[in-house]
Amino acid sequence: MVPMSAMSQEIEAVVRSALADLVRVKRVNGGFFVNLPMLYPDGSCVTIRIDQIASGLRVSDNGFAYREADDVGHARSFRRTARSVAESKAVEVSDRMIYSDVSQEELFGAICEVAEVSWRVADHICERAFDEDEVVLSEELNDKLVKLFGEPNVSIDTQLLGASTTEWKVSSIVNSGGHKTVFQAVTPFANSIYKASTAFRDLAALDTPPKLIAVVRSKAALGNKLALLAPSRILEQSQADESFFKAAA
Amino acid sequence: MAEAGFQLSGGTYINVPDKHVTFELAVTGDRTFRRTRLARIDWRSLTGGHTNKRWCPGDWAGKRLPETHFHCFNLNWLEGEQRMRKGKLPCAKLLEIEPQSFEELRDIAGFLFGISNINVVPCPAWVYSLFAGE
């Protein structure tokens, strides 16, 4: 058994080592890069850059939040998202950067605010971007339908006019046996379910409605939200080909 | 039918020479513009390295990696589900060799990504300033 004093010393050493590494500072090209103990979605540290300017100091995120957004293909939403997040803070937003020009006395607060806004913007954008399960499921579904029904009979990522004259984008439409069957990939996320539900109801109200099939990875994952997908029939992606043939028959 | 293609991309900051360089290998889908990341090398990153999630496999699970590290395919591939992990390759490990220059980094990326003619990638047009820094 380890004596309490030895354990305490060991733990203290570990804690002090971790604390010492929470913040890192690097001087690069006359500016300071400060790594803070907050992580962007990609696992890198929220990093602040401090530069001297004529009126004092510029505290910025050096465009790192923009880069996070750009990396996930959502650069266009950076400015709008950043402005929304920064609204209640004393920070500025340019095309690619979050920053604040402050006096030396205001440095601590500026570091905290710019870091917080930068992290929130990156987190918000990446959360939306990574909600791509529907895209993956849709691709798998479309590959399956093309194999089963043949490419000429499958229209992928196509649009269909509903009874309300709203155009709905669906995963695919299969033309088979003289009629259309709409297949739509649906994930357990609320947006995916409500979008499909609204589309299905509008399409079902057409004078000549297509068959409507919701395809999910797991019915259990949707739970009682499955009822929202009425009036469609629901299949699991992993079900046998026969089920898909019967659905479109 | 279009065929799936591999993409090599990279990035750096023009005013921050010899630092914060990324090489990334991805594949695009044959029916969509969807891009799936396969592997990435981060060299001398300015954002404090990379912290692995605790559920990452390998010796670096839950730990912080230094500024140069490798988001390798094997750590980010889910064999049971036949797909890459969600996100920007959330798991990484150390590079066995620390590149000392862009050219060395490029060669290592070529080796790790299996690209034999990676030297077609030009050196960045970095702007060097009088402030040496680190």
Side-chain angles (χ1 to χ4, degrees), chain B residues 5-63:
Chain B
F6 288 100
Q7 270 185 0
L8 175 71
S9 60
T12 186
Y13 286 92
I14 197 162
N15 291 317
V16 188
D18 303 306
K19 284 195 192 312
H20 207 81
V21 180
T22 292
F23 274 102
E24 186 172 83
L25 184 68
V27 65
T28 55
D30 56 355
R31 292 184 198 286
T32 72
F33 293 111
R34 181 175 177 75
R35 182 173 170 271
T36 302
R37 292 177 169 85
L38 300 177
R40 182 171 73 252
I41 299 173
D42 292 317
W43 183 57
R44 296 180 178 172
S45 106
L46 290 168
T47 48
H50 172 83
T51 301
N52 275 334
K53 303 288 187 194
R54 284 193 292 276
W55 39 251
C56 283
D59 296 335
W60 288 92
K63 293 178 186 162

Side-chain angles (χ1 to χ4, degrees), chain B residues 112-128:
Chain B
L112 291 173
F113 295 168
I115 300 172
S116 58
N117 64 336
I118 199 166
N119 57 359
V120 301
V121 174
C123 292
W126 279 314
V127 174
Y128 288 84

Side-chain angles (χ1 to χ4, degrees), chain A residues 92-154:
Chain A
E92 307 291 329
V93 176
S94 69
D95 284 342
R96 298 188 180 196
M97 200 167 69
I98 296 158
Y99 69 97
S100 193
D101 293 339
V102 296
S103 65
Q104 292 179 20
E105 293 75 27
E106 295 167 318
L107 180 59
F108 177 79
I111 289 173
C112 293
E113 287 203 323
V114 171
E116 182 192 341
V117 172
S118 183
W119 177 82
R120 279 222 214 153
V121 169
D123 184 64
H124 186 75
I125 291 175
C126 288
E127 193 179 326
R128 281 208 314 262
F130 294 150
D131 187 10
E132 290 177 338
D133 287 354
E134 186 177 310
V135 173
V136 173
L137 181 58
S138 200
E139 286 180 8
E140 291 173 19
L141 167 64
N142 293 337
D143 282 347
K144 184 169 188 156
L145 294 174
V146 165
K147 282 186 189 130
L148 292 179
F149 296 98
E151 197 165 358
N153 300 314
V154 181

Side-chain angles (χ1 to χ4, degrees), chain B residues 94-129:
Chain B
L94 277 183
L95 262 186
E96 287 175 16
I97 304 169
E98 169 91 24
Q100 298 303 309
S101 67
F102 176 82
E103 288 81 0
E104 270 186 44
L105 170 68
R106 184 179 57 192
D107 287 346
I108 288 170
F111 172 71
L112 291 173
F113 295 168
I115 300 172
S116 58
N117 64 336
I118 199 166
N119 57 359
V120 301
V121 174
C123 292
W126 279 314
V127 174
Y128 288 84
S129 114

Side-chain angles (χ1 to χ4, degrees), chain A residues 187-208:
Chain A
T187 70
F189 297 108
N191 277 350
S192 184
I193 296 170
Y194 297 138
K195 189 177 66 175
S197 171
T198 312
F200 285 156
R201 286 171 206 283
D202 197 26
L203 293 171
L206 286 166
D207 291 337
T208 316

Side-chain angles (χ1 to χ4, degrees), chain A:
Chain A
M1 191 162 164
V2 180
M4 186 63 79
S5 59
M7 272 176 63
S8 297
Q9 282 173 9
E10 185 184 345
I11 296 299
E12 184 173 349
V14 165
V15 170
R16 286 191 184 281
S17 173
L19 286 174
D21 205 29
L22 277 178
V23 179
R24 294 182 186 175
V25 181
K26 217 184 259 290
R27 183 142 190 210
V28 179
N29 281 2
F32 290 89
F33 283 84
V34 183
N35 306 138
L36 296 169
M38 297 157 68
L39 298 180
Y40 284 123
D42 74 346
S44 62
C45 291
V46 173
T47 297
I48 293 304
R49 177 174 175 160
I50 304 170
D51 293 289
Q52 190 172 15
I53 56 174
S55 56
L57 297 168
R58 169 159 289 186
V59 179
S60 77
D61 75 341
N62 198 59
F64 289 130
Y66 174 84
R67 189 160 169 175
E68 289 283 305
D70 190 38
D71 277 353
V72 296
H74 283 242
R76 278 186 303 180
S77 64
F78 167 77
R79 194 159 183 180
R80 178 172 31 89
T81 306
R83 281 186 164 166
S84 169
V85 172
E87 203 174 335
S88 60
K89 306 286 180 188
V91 302
E92 307 291 329
V93 176
S94 69
D95 284 342
R96 298 188 180 196
M97 200 167 69
I98 296 158
Y99 69 97
S100 193
D101 293 339
V102 296
S103 65
Q104 292 179 20
E105 293 75 27
E106 295 167 318
L107 180 59
F108 177 79
I111 289 173
C112 293
E113 287 203 323
V114 171
E116 182 192 341
V117 172
S118 183
W119 177 82
R120 279 222 214 153
V121 169
D123 184 64
H124 186 75
I125 291 175
C126 288
E127 193 179 326
R128 281 208 314 262
F130 294 150
D131 187 10
E132 290 177 338
D133 287 354
E134 186 177 310
V135 173
V136 173
L137 181 58
S138 200
E139 286 180 8
E140 291 173 19
L141 167 64
N142 293 337
D143 282 347
K144 184 169 188 156
L145 294 174
V146 165
K147 282 186 189 130
L148 292 179
F149 296 98
E151 197 165 358
N153 300 314
V154 181
S155 303
I156 289 172
D157 287 341
T158 193
Q159 289 184 319
L160 202 56
L161 212 58
S164 69
T165 72
T166 301
E167 263 196 332
W168 299 102
K169 189 173 172 197
V170 295
S171 299
S172 51
I173 298 176
V174 170
N175 288 292
S176 176
H179 57 262
K180 288 185 186 347
T181 304
V182 168
F183 285 85
Q184 176 60 40
V186 183
T187 70
F189 297 108
N191 277 350
S192 184
I193 296 170
Y194 297 138
K195 189 177 66 175
S197 171
T198 312
F200 285 156
R201 286 171 206 283
D202 197 26
L203 293 171
L206 286 166
D207 291 337
T208 316
K211 288 193 172 186
L212 300 168
I213 314 291
V215 179
V216 302
R217 281 217 191 274
S218 159
K219 289 181 186 177
L222 268 75
N224 53 14
K225 290 198 185 85
L226 280 176
L228 292 170
L229 295 174
S232 72
R233 183 174 165 186
I234 301 169
L235 295 179
E236 287 185 339
Q237 170 66 8
S238 58
Q239 278 182 246
D241 295 348
E242 186 63 28
S243 303
F244 286 79
F245 276 125
K246 276 187 184 166

